[in-house]
């Protein structure tokens, strides 16, 4: 067995791999490995998910905004070509899910070699569009209950997904918006950029999940809306039970606890003008 190494300027991640299952260089450099922790998707050198740990990412990205909304019937996902976020969103039995993924090769590679979507990508409630999500949002004249951005780390291709113009367009077409917002431990600059640029929303909150497959382990998410985001535990628990959702990582109690931030992160969040 060999090692896959994800290296950045000041830190790195090493995963033992059995073999490489797939590689394609097109719009993005896509690799899929068989590892000691299950299948692993890598895009442009960065780990996107590992099967053993992916629930702590996809469940927290999807269920926190979906359960914040009292009745999410129409959902938009930008990115998420592996299907993990769509899988979790569909557990809420929405009427319609639109998923906009820019790279068809990610979808097909994950369908063929991984399958974490568990059939979500072929669900009749889901419409898959292979196009630029930024342009889709910019030109969209529909309204969505929940909009989730499941994107990669900032790169030349994804950088517009972190711009104020994109967030402004998202706020126009969604009641509740959610995204992954990088590692506040090892990517503080990128984390601060997200907080600064999402100021177009009236209300924003940061929450956390423990994700071993990402450097530093602590990963942040941002939920935003032009309406109140305060939902009590009893109400979240009732919605969770009424929708009969089964999860591996997420619970209503984890949902609430995820918004409790360590002091150093509270200080950053307050400094950037957000509630804690």
């Amino acid at each position: 067995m060999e090692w896959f190494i994800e290296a950045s300027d000041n830190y790195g991640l090493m995963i033992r791999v059995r073999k490489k299952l797939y590689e394609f260089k097109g719009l993005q450099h896509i690799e899929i490995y068989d590892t000691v922790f299950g299948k692993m998707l890598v895009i442009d050198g960065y780990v996107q998910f590992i099967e053993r740990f992916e629930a702590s990412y996809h469940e927290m990205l999807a269920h926190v905004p979906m359960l914040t909304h009292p009745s999410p019937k129409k959902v938009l996902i930008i990115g998420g070509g592996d299907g993990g976020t769509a899988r979790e969103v569909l557990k809420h039995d929405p009427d319609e899910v639109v998923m906009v993924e820019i790279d068809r090769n990610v979808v097909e590679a994950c369908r063929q070699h991984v399958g974490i979507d568990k059939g979500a990508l072929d669900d009749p409630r889901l419409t898959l569009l292979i196009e630029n999500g930024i342009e889709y949002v910019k030109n969209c004249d529909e309204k969505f209950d929940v909009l989730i951005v499941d994107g990669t780390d900032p790169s030349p291709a994804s950088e517009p997904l972190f711009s104020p113009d994109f967030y402004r367009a998202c706020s126009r077409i969604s009641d509740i918006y959610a995204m992954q917002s990088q590692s506040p431990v090892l990517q503080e600059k990128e984390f601060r950029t997200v907080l600064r640029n999402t100021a177009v929303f009236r209300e924003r909150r940061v929450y956390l999940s423990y994700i071993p497959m990402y450097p530093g382990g602590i990963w942040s998410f941002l939920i935003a809306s032009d309406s109140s985001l305060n939902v009590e535990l009893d109400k979240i628990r009732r919605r969770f039970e009424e929708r009969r959702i089964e999860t591996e990582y997420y619970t209503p109690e984890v949902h609430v606890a995820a918004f409790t931030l360590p002091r150093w992160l509270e200080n950053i969040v307050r400094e950037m003008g957000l509630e804690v």
Side-chain angles (χ1 to χ4, degrees):
M1 290 193 289
E2 299 179 351
W3 291 96
F4 169 84
I5 300 175
E6 176 187 314
S8 295
D9 292 341
N10 300 309
Y11 59 89
L13 177 71
M14 295 177 64
I15 302 292
R16 191 175 288 279
V17 301
R18 295 188 176 100
K19 63 178 178 178
K20 182 181 288 188
L21 301 174
Y22 175 88
E23 182 172 15
F24 181 81
K25 293 183 179 180
L27 180 64
Q28 302 173 105
H29 183 190
I30 305 165
E31 300 169 275
I32 296 177
Y33 293 87
D34 180 22
T35 82
V36 295
F37 301 113
K39 307 291 178 54
M40 176 174 74
L41 172 67
V42 177
I43 294 180
D44 292 335
Y46 294 96
V47 174
Q48 304 303 303
F49 71 77
I50 305 174
E51 282 183 297
R52 173 81 65 84
F53 311 117
E54 59 88 10
S56 61
Y57 173 79
H58 289 117
E59 291 182 6
M60 293 300 286
L61 177 61
H63 295 310
V64 171
M66 293 294 287
L67 285 160
T68 299
H69 196 287
S71 182
K73 295 302 182 184
K74 189 172 183 179
V75 181
L76 174 62
I77 301 170
I78 302 296
D82 55 67
T85 298
R87 177 195 72 207
E88 296 305 315
V89 164
L90 287 166
K91 291 179 180 179
H92 295 258
D93 196 23
D95 295 333
E96 179 184 2
V97 178
V98 177
M99 191 174 98
V100 185
E101 165 61 52
I102 196 170
D103 196 340
R104 183 184 299 276
N105 294 302
V106 172
V107 176
E108 297 306 322
C110 289
R111 266 181 170 147
Q112 182 176 352
H113 297 284
V114 187
I116 67 163
D117 68 295
K118 303 290 176 59
L121 293 173
D122 299 306
D123 191 290
R125 293 168 294 177
L126 183 137
T127 300
L128 173 61
L129 304 176
I130 304 298
E131 58 183 90
N132 187 309
I134 298 162
E135 290 300 314
Y136 179 89
V137 169
K138 177 182 176 182
N139 298 314
C140 183
D141 57 4
E142 300 180 64
K143 187 83 171 183
F144 294 88
D145 297 317
V146 176
L147 193 167
I148 298 172
V149 176
D150 182 4
T152 61
D153 286 2
S155 69
S158 66
E159 192 169 351
L161 289 172
F162 295 84
S163 72
D165 287 344
F166 176 71
Y167 298 135
R168 190 174 293 107
C170 289
S171 70
R172 176 178 58 82
I173 67 170
S174 63
D175 291 335
I176 294 176
Y177 171 87
M179 65 177 293
Q180 65 89 10
S181 48
Q182 308 301 132
S183 166
V185 179
L186 297 171
Q187 297 172 319
E188 184 179 336
K189 179 182 177 181
E190 292 84 354
F191 175 71
R192 284 179 176 269
T193 296
V194 169
L195 300 193
R196 182 182 305 109
N197 291 349
T198 53
V200 297
F201 291 95
R202 188 171 300 148
E203 186 167 340
R204 295 166 293 152
R205 298 283 303 279
V206 170
Y207 63 99
L208 301 175
S209 182
Y210 173 63
I211 308 175
M213 63 191 177
Y214 296 155
I218 296 177
W219 207 254
S220 73
F221 302 83
L222 182 133
I223 183 170
S225 178
D226 286 333
S227 303
S228 174
L229 291 170
N230 293 324
V231 184
E232 297 177 352
L233 174 58
D234 287 347
K235 189 173 289 186
I236 294 169
R237 186 184 290 123
R238 184 169 65 251
R239 292 173 183 173
F240 182 76
E241 292 171 353
E242 287 174 350
R243 298 177 198 178
R244 299 180 181 180
I245 297 168
E246 295 184 3
T247 56
E248 179 181 329
Y249 180 91
Y250 174 95
T251 67
E253 291 75 17
V254 166
H255 179 137
V256 173
F259 288 91
T260 301
L261 308 180
R263 179 73 67 192
W264 62 267
L265 186 52
E266 275 191 357
N267 292 338
I268 293 174
V269 169
R270 284 199 173 99
E271 179 186 334
M272 299 302 295
L274 281 74
E275 290 187 27
V276 294

